[in-house]
Amino acid sequence: MAKQKTLQDAFYETLKDVYYAEKQSVKALKKSAKAAEHDALRQAFETHAEESAQQVERLTQVFEIIGKPARAKTCEAMQGIVSEMEEDLDDFAGSPAADAVLAACAQAVEHYEIARYGTLKTWAAQLGYADAAKLLDETLQEEKTTDALLSRIAGTINAAADAGEGEAEPAKGKGKKGA
Ligand code: FE
Ligand code: FE
Ligand code: FE
């Protein structure tokens, strides 16, 4: 019979998943920063890319705390979110809604991270890794702050996208719905 898996095992497995996901998010953010037209959006991506590199570093500290090697395990959820982002980038490139879909994809990444770091923080505390819980909470707060910032920026971007005021060629039939 297989060895009974404990919360300790679940913590390590999820840590590997998030380690992979966080590294992917750094790449996705850099790509998004290159693609973004809106200044505040691009700035938000650049800032969070730097922050995310530190989050990867923080994860290696957590691996150290639990005395396990820092390994990444493919996170299919993050892979899926990133492929959707790439598809949207292709489909909406140069259109008035390009930045709106970029912001939306980035928020999907943040929400996945918020879910994962929330769990990891709770499990770390349960397992008695107070220092790890603190590190994970620092990252969790950064993800939440980024998500909130993206929501604010999206407010402006979405209105422009709806009105067809992109940087690229104006959309045909622009204007408010029903106008
Ligand atoms: Fe992150
Ligand atoms: Fe995952
Ligand atoms: Fe993030």
Side-chain angles (χ1 to χ4, degrees):
M1 202 179 87
K3 176 178 165 279
Q4 297 297 306
K5 290 193 189 294
T6 64
L7 191 66
Q8 181 75 43
D9 299 307
F11 183 69
Y12 184 44
E13 291 309 305
T14 306
L15 202 55
K16 290 191 278 186
D17 174 273
V18 176
Y19 191 48
Y20 178 96
E22 193 62 65
K23 286 180 173 183
Q24 290 297 113
S25 90
V26 176
K27 287 187 203 164
L29 284 160
K30 286 181 178 167
K31 200 165 182 174
S32 301
K34 282 204 184 98
E37 294 279 351
H38 190 271
D39 284 339
L41 184 64
R42 188 175 51 249
Q43 186 59 56
F45 288 151
E46 283 170 357
T47 302
H48 196 50
E50 284 170 26
E51 224 165 42
S52 300
Q54 288 170 27
Q55 295 174 350
V56 171
E57 185 51 40
R58 242 177 239 144
L59 286 171
T60 66
Q61 293 176 42
V62 176
F63 281 110
E64 266 177 44
I65 290 171
I66 66 167
K68 299 265 193 183
R71 286 211 195 106
K73 183 176 79 176
T74 304
C75 169
E76 288 180 27
M78 185 60 83
Q79 272 190 339
I81 294 170
V82 171
S83 14
E84 284 187 356
M85 184 194 94
E86 275 158 6
E87 199 183 321
D88 279 352
L89 268 177
D90 283 348
D91 289 353
F92 287 85
S95 81
D99 278 351
V101 294
L102 258 187
C105 291
Q107 286 195 275
V109 170
E110 296 314 311
H111 283 226
Y112 180 71
E113 293 181 317
I114 289 166
R116 286 317 214 177
Y117 282 110
T119 296
L120 282 175
K121 173 196 157 181
T122 303
W123 285 354
Q126 173 64 41
L127 293 165
Y129 298 120
D131 290 349
K134 193 167 164 282
L135 288 166
L136 293 163
D137 185 58
E138 278 174 43
T139 296
L140 177 62
Q141 297 316 316
E142 288 173 357
E143 311 295 23
K144 286 183 177 173
T145 302
T146 301
D147 180 50
L149 174 63
L150 289 171
S151 284
R152 283 200 301 278
I153 297 171
T156 315
I157 292 171
N158 292 345
D162 185 34
E165 290 162 4
E167 310 278 326
E169 43 315 359
K172 272 180 280 171
K174 66 179 280 192
K176 286 288 163 196
K177 286 169 284 277

